[in-house]
Amino acid sequence: MVDITSSLWTDFLGQIREAKNQLGAPETLWYRGHPNSKFYLLASLLRYKNGLDKEQQLFGDFKRFSDRILRRKESDWETLFDMQHYGVPTRLLDWSETFGVALFFAATYNQSHHPSADAAIYLLDPIALNRLSGISSIYHVPRDEAKFDYRKIYWDHNPFAPIAPIAIEPLFSNDRMLAQRGMFTVHHDKIDPLEDAFPTAIKKVVIPNALIPACLEFLELSNLNMFSVFPDLAGLADYLANTSGLER
């Protein structure tokens, strides 16, 4: 059994390397883990039939109700980051600069939510993706907000209507974003699978279900767990509940 697992792990790493090479071995590479390989890349707002119709209402209501709880934000992007952080549907999709963090989300949530399914890792060349929209670099927001205004572009389609997701690099405004080395893509209005639509920028590697135990062992050895990935009280609570040896 150990030999089989070792072989699967070696094959998996080889597939990651091959996917990277197919993207041209870019210097900048982002990763995202899915606990079920049948899932595809779709921002939470677009998972609802009327998500786009409710986008402005969600944004306005969040700003109105959160002002007394959170520090007032000068940038719309910072408001979006808070919305994403607290689970409000947005156009944002989370990525990480760190392969291990993506593997954590794929393997850990596979075990807890989809234990019989294969998982998957996505690889993204963010600069190649942005070139599809005529953008030569990665926008740093909110610093680049004057050039890349959320409301103008996604609500008014001014000065352009996005035809592809656009990669952005945020300020690490909270501990989770820093721990996860979090990056984002901002999605356009289409819901088609991105790896099919933009194969020069995105690749998918399936993690066979039989490999999940080896992935979890790698994560344990790397100290990638609920508390290191979510370094706040919620993450600590999950970590203690899962590691304290409690028996149901």
Side-chain angles (χ1 to χ4, degrees):
M1 178 61 74
V2 173
D3 290 340
I4 295 173
T5 303
S6 175
S7 175
L8 285 173
W9 179 252
T10 303
D11 290 346
F12 170 61
L13 292 181
Q15 290 170 357
I16 293 290
R17 184 166 52 250
E18 176 60 23
K20 180 179 179 180
N21 289 336
Q22 288 179 10
L23 291 173
E27 290 186 14
T28 302
L29 195 62
W30 297 355
Y31 303 91
R32 177 177 171 85
H34 279 196
N36 190 323
S37 63
K38 294 182 180 179
F39 294 172
Y40 62 94
L41 299 169
L42 193 62
S44 57
L45 184 73
L46 302 178
R47 298 170 196 169
Y48 297 88
K49 290 182 183 178
N50 60 344
L52 294 174
D53 296 332
K54 297 295 184 180
E55 180 179 15
Q56 296 184 34
Q57 177 185 329
L58 283 168
F59 184 86
D61 285 349
F62 183 84
K63 280 185 68 73
R64 185 158 58 96
F65 289 115
S66 66
D67 256 8
R68 71 180 186 85
I69 303 171
L70 302 171
R71 177 179 59 85
R72 183 185 293 269
K73 301 297 192 293
E74 296 181 2
S75 164
D76 286 343
W77 289 111
E78 289 181 284
T79 298
L80 276 175
F81 299 155
D82 282 340
M83 291 172 67
Q84 184 79 353
H85 177 78
Y86 289 105
V88 181
T90 73
R91 289 179 180 270
L92 301 178
L93 193 68
D94 297 271
W95 295 81
S96 176
E97 294 180 306
T98 305
F99 169 76
V101 170
L103 188 66
F104 168 85
F105 283 103
T108 302
Y109 290 100
N110 173 276
Q111 184 184 46
S112 60
H113 291 75
H114 306 274
S116 61
D118 295 335
I121 294 284
Y122 284 91
L123 292 81
L124 170 69
D125 179 347
I127 295 176
L129 181 67
N130 282 3
R131 286 197 192 106
L132 299 171
S133 299
I135 300 167
S136 60
S137 62
I138 301 170
Y139 281 129
H140 295 74
V141 293
R143 188 183 72 191
D144 292 331
E145 191 162 21
K147 297 186 288 187
F148 191 57
D149 185 291
Y150 162 63
R151 295 199 221 193
K152 288 181 180 178
I153 291 174
Y154 290 95
W155 296 3
D156 302 333
H157 295 165
N158 176 28
F160 66 94
I163 60 171
I166 294 174
I168 61 172
E169 182 175 327
L171 290 175
F172 293 141
S173 57
N174 59 61
D175 290 340
R176 284 190 183 185
M177 290 172 71
L178 178 60
Q180 297 171 16
R181 301 292 293 178
M183 302 291 161
F184 295 109
T185 44
V186 193
H187 284 235
H188 59 323
D189 295 350
K190 301 287 186 181
I191 63 170
D192 303 323
L194 299 183
E195 65 271 23
D196 295 337
F198 310 110
T200 59
I202 300 169
K203 298 296 179 184
K204 175 182 179 180
V205 176
V206 173
I207 306 173
N209 187 264
L211 184 58
I212 297 298
C215 294
L216 295 172
E217 183 177 2
F218 169 83
L219 293 170
E220 182 179 359
L221 292 171
S222 303
N223 195 35
L224 286 164
N225 53 54
M226 277 292 181
F227 189 42
S228 62
V229 174
F230 298 98
D232 50 31
L233 288 177
L236 175 60
D238 281 341
Y239 174 72
L240 294 177
N242 290 325
T243 60
S244 58
L246 291 170
E247 297 181 5
R248 291 189 182 278

